[in-house]
Amino acid sequence: MTVACEMGKRKRKVEGKEQDFNGISKKLATTSNSTEKISTKILDANTVQIITGSYERVLHGITATITPATFEGPGASLAIIFEDAFLFNAHSSAIRCLAISPPSISSDPSQPPKVILASGSTDERINLYHISASPPSVQGKPSLKPTLTANNINENPKNRELGSLLHHSSSISALYFPTRAKLLSAAEDNTIAVVRTRDWTVLSNIKIPIPKALGRPSGDTAPPGGSPAGVNDFAVHPSMKLMVSVGKGEKCMRLWNLVTGKKAGVLNFGKEILQGVGEGRWGNGEGRKVEWDSKGKEFAIGFERGVVVFGMDSKPKCRILPSPLTKIHQVRYVTIAPEDKIFVDVLALSTEDGRIIFYSTTVGLDSVPDGKGSKVPIPKCRALGQLGGKIAGLPVRVKDFEFLHLPAREGSPG
């Protein structure tokens, strides 16, 4: 999916000598009040760095500068400046997952913070990069413009490649930085590895049993005589002591003790759970996504067309079936603060038809009767709203998404 964004170039006329950098007119003299207003607007802007991986084997970094005019009110104009930051030819096959570490903390204030970017692919490699977390300066240099597109290029020379990790023997399926010191990686070789980032040494390998081939569904990609195997996804509890994983060919989830690196338990998905999320007779019944909330009190397991929310006692709390029924690609929790200023977690999921739907897992739960006249014991979550979709001009699937909390501004709701 390609989204084109055409931005106009505005230049404010002020007295004295001017120079145009990156579509923003900045006066070199410091005696005019208009110059001070322009500089204040530049400093008050929020810069977000977006990193995407694609089937074309490349990592694309984009910086989006959000100006204060965007936050002035409901009728404010959307003022965002996009610039290309980097373009890495990262892998020899399609990129499947990305992970970014927490930023570094330096005692020297002149040193900008850095993050570690990890990318996993079907070529069994994990590539590592050092990415600067601060926007590059445009002072003293004009922005470059390529010949085939009108997007500005503002490359940061501090972005560099660190190397590759080759401790997996199959496609990489999930990556996660619980802290800056550790990297967790999962692959289709049925292992979850814990890597120390200081010297990139594999500290532990959690081996997941290969499931038995029982009633393989049609369209399976496993070789003849084999069975589907591999880790689909995993999620670490906020306490960093517990992990939940789901895998291919398994109608269950596995709990792991990260202190000892051993299995803590296995919970099978019963018939009641699978039927409640649309996994019929010919469905594989495997969990595809797993996510903890910010407080660690519940976690969500995403299936092909539905989601089940479990409590800390590993009992199903509620379920989600989007309407109209469609395939689910990603599941995330987002923390919001309503008018009463009490922070709550809302479950968001992306679908095949281009929607991001928000659900409440605490209020509005109801049991919907099935076709036989009895009530389904697992209540359904109440939908709060949605973004995208055909109505908003986004009919294509949303593979992944992230939420960013921008700092509150004076006069804004927060």
Side-chain angles (χ1 to χ4, degrees):
M1 180 181 65
T2 304
V3 180
C5 180
E6 183 178 356
M7 300 188 63
K9 189 173 182 181
R10 298 183 60 188
K11 184 173 180 180
R12 182 177 297 181
K13 294 182 179 181
V14 292
E15 298 179 359
K17 189 177 180 180
E18 294 184 354
Q19 190 170 359
D20 187 11
F21 292 125
N22 211 11
I24 300 176
S25 178
K26 182 175 176 65
K27 187 177 178 182
L28 300 183
T30 58
T31 57
S32 175
N33 293 331
S34 60
T35 303
E36 294 177 1
K37 293 181 181 179
I38 297 174
S39 302
T40 303
K41 287 190 176 183
I42 296 174
L43 294 176
D44 288 344
N46 289 318
T47 301
V48 178
Q49 187 163 202
I50 306 169
I51 303 173
T52 62
S54 65
Y55 291 111
E56 284 74 22
R57 310 178 298 276
V58 297
L59 287 173
H60 190 191
I62 306 168
T63 59
T65 303
I66 307 172
T67 60
T70 309
F71 304 94
E72 290 179 355
S77 60
L78 190 65
I80 303 178
I81 302 173
F82 292 96
E83 293 180 323
D84 293 329
F86 61 84
L87 189 67
F88 295 147
N89 189 7
H91 294 271
S92 59
S93 59
I95 297 175
R96 296 189 60 182
C97 52
L98 299 176
I100 297 177
S101 71
S104 61
I105 300 176
S106 176
S107 57
D108 187 4
S110 62
Q111 293 293 332
K114 291 184 178 180
V115 297
I116 300 175
L117 169 65
S119 63
S121 171
T122 55
D123 59 3
E124 307 173 4
R125 302 167 67 94
I126 300 175
N127 287 354
L128 304 169
Y129 303 87
H130 253 158
I131 304 296
S132 177
S134 60
S137 175
V138 297
Q139 301 293 336
K141 63 174 183 179
S143 60
L144 302 176
K145 284 186 178 296
T147 56
L148 300 179
T149 179
N151 291 343
N152 294 333
I153 297 178
N154 197 1
E155 185 177 2
N156 195 328
K158 297 180 181 179
N159 298 337
R160 58 187 179 89
E161 185 177 359
L162 291 178
S164 300
L165 301 177
L166 303 172
H167 54 270
H168 285 293
S169 59
S170 188
S171 301
I172 313 299
S173 56
L175 295 169
Y176 177 62
F177 282 95
T179 63
R180 187 174 173 82
K182 298 292 188 298
L183 168 65
L184 274 69
S185 60
E188 293 185 358
D189 57 2
N190 273 65
T191 59
I192 299 177
V194 181
V195 181
R196 183 171 58 197
T197 61
R198 185 179 61 189
D199 51 6
W200 302 110
T201 301
V202 179
L203 300 179
S204 177
N205 249 332
I206 300 176
K207 296 183 179 180
I208 298 174
I210 298 177
K212 296 180 180 179
L214 295 174
R216 284 177 53 190
S218 60
D220 205 325
T221 56
S227 61
V231 181
N232 282 334
D233 197 12
F234 65 90
V236 180
H237 190 266
S239 66
M240 308 296 178
K241 297 180 180 180
L242 181 67
M243 179 176 67
V244 180
S245 67
V246 289
K248 295 182 182 294
E250 289 187 320
K251 296 182 180 181
C252 68
M253 63 179 177
R254 298 181 181 272
L255 286 81
W256 304 91
N257 188 340
L258 293 182
V259 178
T260 61
K262 296 182 179 181
K263 181 179 66 175
V266 178
L267 177 63
N268 294 319
F269 300 138
K271 184 178 180 180
E272 173 189 348
I273 295 177
L274 296 179
Q275 289 182 349
V277 292
E279 291 287 337
R281 180 180 178 183
W282 306 111
N284 51 26
E286 65 184 34
R288 300 175 182 268
K289 295 292 180 181
V290 57
E291 182 80 5
W292 283 96
D293 70 338
S294 62
K295 300 177 182 178
K297 294 183 178 181
E298 65 181 35
F299 60 95
I301 302 291
F303 296 87
E304 185 175 11
R305 289 180 173 85
V307 179
V308 177
V309 179
F310 295 85
M312 278 299 296
D313 54 359
S314 297
K315 293 182 180 180
K317 181 180 177 182
C318 57
R319 63 188 176 96
I320 294 173
L321 274 176
S323 179
L325 195 62
T326 182
K327 186 177 180 180
I328 294 174
H329 288 285
Q330 187 58 273
V331 177
R332 303 279 188 194
Y333 275 98
V334 56
T335 304
I336 62 174
E339 296 179 358
D340 52 3
K341 301 299 181 180
I342 298 177
F343 291 94
V344 295
D345 287 330
V346 173
L347 186 61
L349 53 89
S350 63
T351 63
E352 179 77 14
D353 54 7
R355 294 178 295 163
I356 298 179
I357 314 175
F358 300 87
Y359 290 90
S360 171
T361 61
T362 57
V363 296
L365 304 181
D366 56 347
S367 296
V368 179
D370 57 12
K372 298 180 180 180
S374 61
K375 286 192 174 182
V376 178
I378 304 178
K380 293 188 67 174
C381 298
R382 181 170 63 91
L384 302 177
Q386 71 175 38
L387 298 174
K390 294 182 179 180
I391 300 178
L394 185 63
V396 295
R397 63 181 179 180
V398 179
K399 289 285 288 184
D400 201 355
F401 61 94
E402 287 286 349
F403 292 100
L404 295 177
H405 295 276
L406 298 179
R409 299 179 174 274
E410 295 183 2
S412 65

